[in-house]
Amino acid sequence: MNSKKFALMYTLIFNVFTPAFAETAQSFSETRFNKAISSKEAFVVAFHSDSCGSCKIQKPNLESLLQEEPLKDVLGLMANFEATSEFRKHLEKPVRGPSTILVFKQGQEVARVQGETDKQKIRDLISNAIKSN
């Protein structure tokens, strides 16, 4: 196979099988968080753990929602619960368990839910939070 055919095949496969949420959901870092807070735009931080049963349902639901209207433009930061222990302690209201979603708007936390796995309820929580003043 020549290099042009390989490049074309790779591009097609990559674009088909790469999740669209890669554009709206990013791995958490304090730098990304601080940049999002400073921007005053609405964004979501989701704390997950690989050993958490509800996280295994919640995370893909959230990632899917961030691909859909009206949440398409909302940044999602996916945070490993265990790796963010120091950061979580310094939030105004600490995050005490995995499977927690925080919604921020204009630099402030405006909504929070823990353990929710229902896609519609997560959509409503985020939509209502970013619509409110």
Side-chain angles (χ1 to χ4, degrees), residues 74-130:
V74 176
L75 171 66
L77 297 175
M78 301 300 172
N80 178 289
F81 182 76
E82 290 82 9
T84 57
S85 61
E86 283 304 310
F87 172 81
R88 290 184 287 106
K89 291 177 191 174
H90 294 95
L91 289 170
E92 188 173 317
K93 184 178 173 189
V95 174
R96 302 199 189 282
S99 189
T100 301
I101 298 173
L102 309 179
V103 183
F104 291 85
K105 182 179 175 185
Q106 298 178 346
Q108 300 293 317
E109 182 182 330
V110 293
R112 173 184 294 228
V113 67
Q114 183 175 4
E116 183 59 67
T117 59
D118 183 86
K119 192 172 180 179
Q120 185 60 48
K121 289 180 181 177
I122 296 170
R123 177 187 290 114
D124 291 346
L125 171 89
I126 298 170
S127 295
N128 292 336
I130 63 176

Side-chain angles (χ1 to χ4, degrees), residues 16 20 23 28 33 133:
V16 170
E23 296 172 7
F28 176 88
F33 177 83
N133 291 335

Side-chain angles (χ1 to χ4, degrees), residues 6-122:
F6 178 78
L8 177 60
M9 185 185 307
Y10 177 81
T11 301
L12 290 172
I13 291 170
F14 185 80
N15 287 336
V16 170
F17 293 108
T18 300
F21 66 79
E23 296 172 7
T24 55
Q26 301 175 11
S27 295
F28 176 88
S29 74
E30 286 189 49
T31 303
R32 285 186 178 130
F33 177 83
N34 290 333
K35 187 175 180 180
I37 284 283
S38 298
S39 77
K40 304 291 185 187
E41 297 292 323
F43 70 99
V44 174
V45 180
F47 293 90
H48 294 279
S49 174
D50 292 339
S51 62
C52 167
S54 60
C55 296
K56 292 175 184 174
I57 299 167
Q58 185 187 69
K59 185 176 179 183
N61 282 342
L62 177 60
E63 290 169 337
S64 173
L65 288 171
L66 293 175
Q67 297 177 64
E68 301 171 5
E69 293 294 340
L71 304 180
K72 212 172 185 175
D73 296 326
V74 176
L75 171 66
L77 297 175
M78 301 300 172
N80 178 289
F81 182 76
E82 290 82 9
T84 57
S85 61
E86 283 304 310
F87 172 81
R88 290 184 287 106
K89 291 177 191 174
H90 294 95
L91 289 170
E92 188 173 317
K93 184 178 173 189
V95 174
R96 302 199 189 282
S99 189
T100 301
I101 298 173
L102 309 179
V103 183
F104 291 85
K105 182 179 175 185
Q106 298 178 346
Q108 300 293 317
E109 182 182 330
V110 293
R112 173 184 294 228
V113 67
Q114 183 175 4
E116 183 59 67
T117 59
D118 183 86
K119 192 172 180 179
Q120 185 60 48
K121 289 180 181 177
I122 296 170

